[in-house]
Amino acid sequence: MAIPVLICDDSSFARKQMARALPKDWDTEITYAANGEEALTAIRAGKGEVTFLDLTMPVMDGYAVLETIRKEDLPTVTIVVSGDVQPEALARVQKLGAIEFIKKPIDPDKTRTVLTQYGLL
Amino acid sequence: MKPEAIRAEPIVLSDIQRDCYQEIANVAMGQAADLLARLLNVFVELPIPQVNLFEITDLHMALQSLDQEEAASAVCQGFAGDGITGEALIIFNDSNFDDIARLMNYTGEHSEAMHVELLMDVANILIGAFLKGLAEQLDLAFSQGHPAVLGQHKPIRDLLRPTHQSWHQTLAIEIIYALENHPVNCDLLLLFTEDSIEVMNKKIAYLLED
């Protein structure tokens, strides 16, 4: 059965790059969100078993999404995908419950490695 | 201004192109912020980069963050590569200097020379790293000129008085770096020439292909 995957990024170009970086042999049903609020709506609707989450976004940023996911115990596994490569950004999102941090520009090999590592593939 | 220097049609950016530049700037800005964060031992708050086309004469209006009236200082550095040329600018409000000096462990008298050195140090880090990130993503190489002080202790609009008469439209990328828990912000402004915009649009067309 296809896994519901959510891609949340304010950039349509980044969403497309993320979708392209997913393994071709991974059976997914992809939903897109352009900000944190849209992401939470999708996750609550069961459309994000796995969420790829950007950090810097208008309306609601990635940090606020992670906080809400934790607070409401929402059913999703979150992988942060961001251009903010400061070690402190990584530490903060891990503390907030993200399982992994993938640096932009997104690398398909790294994506596969992460998905395999967590038994998602 | 000679009539033939003006394009028949002004250049426009589609939403898709603007979005693509914004995302590329986002990645490059993150790499530059990482270096700054390590140097100052702070957390750099990243904004959403602003990408806009401007008439060069309206440039001071492009700067959204800085107080137009407050005294500021700026460094500029030219860059070129693969048919793309432009200027990178770092602009600080003068009120930021004491805090930055402290973060960079500058001691002693706050002289003009120290002021310039500080500006140059931050400019080197942010401009160098941003251009590297940009070049990597666009698959090209930039060479950089020497940084120069554009002006000190002047209102923004005087700092940015255009000198390039043949240069009408510019693609401007503006990034406002702020430091968490410190009242410091700093503008990184990238200005690309008119001719560069077409070259860059071709470069990003590859990235936007399905």
Side-chain angles (χ1 to χ4, degrees):
Chain A
M1 216 180 81
I3 299 172
V5 169
L6 176 65
I7 294 175
C8 178
D9 199 304
D10 58 318
S11 161
S12 66
F13 171 63
R15 292 195 295 272
K16 205 159 115 181
Q17 277 194 316
M18 185 64 239
R20 276 187 201 156
L22 296 178
K24 299 284 168 280
D25 54 343
W26 196 28
D27 187 14
T28 57
E29 188 168 323
I30 300 175
T31 300
Y32 296 97
N35 60 56
E37 276 183 11
E38 288 181 24
L40 290 173
T41 305
I43 293 167
R44 290 188 186 109
K47 290 177 179 171
E49 211 167 285
V50 179
T51 300
F52 292 94
L53 181 68
D54 182 27
L55 291 179
T56 312
M57 290 183 289
V59 187
M60 182 192 262
D61 70 11
Y63 294 104
V65 173
L66 287 167
E67 277 168 22
T68 310
I69 289 169
R70 162 170 283 192
K71 203 167 71 191
E72 298 182 18
D73 198 17
L74 297 174
T76 186
V77 168
T78 312
I79 296 164
V80 167
V81 181
S82 175
D84 188 348
V85 294
Q86 298 175 78
E88 179 63 21
L90 168 68
R92 287 181 189 189
V93 300
Q94 281 181 334
K95 216 168 165 184
L96 286 168
I99 62 160
E100 193 61 78
F101 186 106
I102 304 178
K103 289 177 185 181
K104 285 180 177 178
I106 189 83
D107 171 13
D109 293 336
K110 171 73 181 172
T111 308
R112 175 177 280 279
T113 305
V114 167
L115 291 170
T116 306
Q117 189 184 339
Y118 289 94
L120 297 165
L121 195 62
Chain B
M1 201 186 297
K2 291 174 188 163
E4 62 265 30
I6 299 170
R7 273 164 202 272
E9 297 282 333
I11 299 168
V12 289
L13 277 189
S14 70
D15 288 347
I16 291 168
Q17 285 170 325
R18 184 189 306 269
D19 172 75
C20 187
Y21 283 121
Q22 208 165 25
E23 180 60 16
I24 289 168
N26 175 51
V27 171
M29 136 188 116
Q31 292 169 357
D34 184 35
L35 286 185
L36 188 67
R38 289 166 197 265
L39 177 78
L40 303 180
N41 204 19
V42 292
F43 186 67
V44 180
E45 293 170 352
L46 296 183
I48 293 168
Q50 299 296 316
V51 176
N52 286 297
L53 284 173
F54 286 103
E55 291 296 322
I56 199 90
T57 46
D58 293 338
L59 193 59
H60 65 275
M61 293 197 283
L63 294 174
Q64 302 188 340
S65 65
L66 298 175
D67 187 335
Q68 300 282 325
E69 302 304 322
E70 205 194 323
S73 301
V75 166
C76 70
Q77 186 171 21
F79 59 87
D82 286 20
I84 298 168
T85 53
E87 295 270 347
L89 282 79
I90 292 285
I91 308 164
F92 277 120
N93 276 137
D94 284 354
S95 56
N96 287 174
F97 270 99
D98 287 348
D99 285 289
I100 295 174
R102 205 172 308 127
L103 288 168
M104 289 182 78
N105 297 319
Y106 275 70
T107 48
E109 282 291 296
H110 283 213
S111 62
E112 277 299 289
M114 187 206 82
H115 215 124
V116 170
E117 198 182 326
L118 252 175
L119 261 176
M120 289 291 185
D121 281 352
V122 174
N124 270 326
I125 291 162
L126 288 182
I127 294 172
F130 187 94
L131 288 176
K132 183 165 171 282
L134 185 68
E136 277 168 8
Q137 294 178 79
L138 294 178
D139 193 24
L140 52 85
F142 286 126
S143 53
Q144 290 164 237
H146 290 289
V149 176
L150 193 62
Q152 285 182 278
H153 322 305
K154 289 178 184 171
I156 301 273
R157 88 174 76 76
D158 294 335
L159 279 175
L160 295 183
R161 194 144 280 165
T163 51
H164 306 275
Q165 290 299 333
S166 61
W167 187 357
H168 301 293
Q169 267 187 303
T170 182
L171 175 71
I173 299 178
E174 187 192 12
I175 291 154
I176 304 147
Y177 289 103
L179 306 185
E180 190 178 69
N181 302 325
H182 297 278
V184 172
N185 56 44
C186 160
D187 249 41
L188 171 62
L189 188 66
L190 280 290
L191 304 174
F192 296 90
T193 62
E194 265 181 17
D195 293 341
S196 305
I197 302 171
E198 285 172 41
V199 180
M200 285 171 62
N201 281 346
K202 278 183 196 143
K203 288 272 183 192
I204 65 163
Y206 287 108
L207 295 173
L208 289 166
E209 261 173 26
D210 282 313

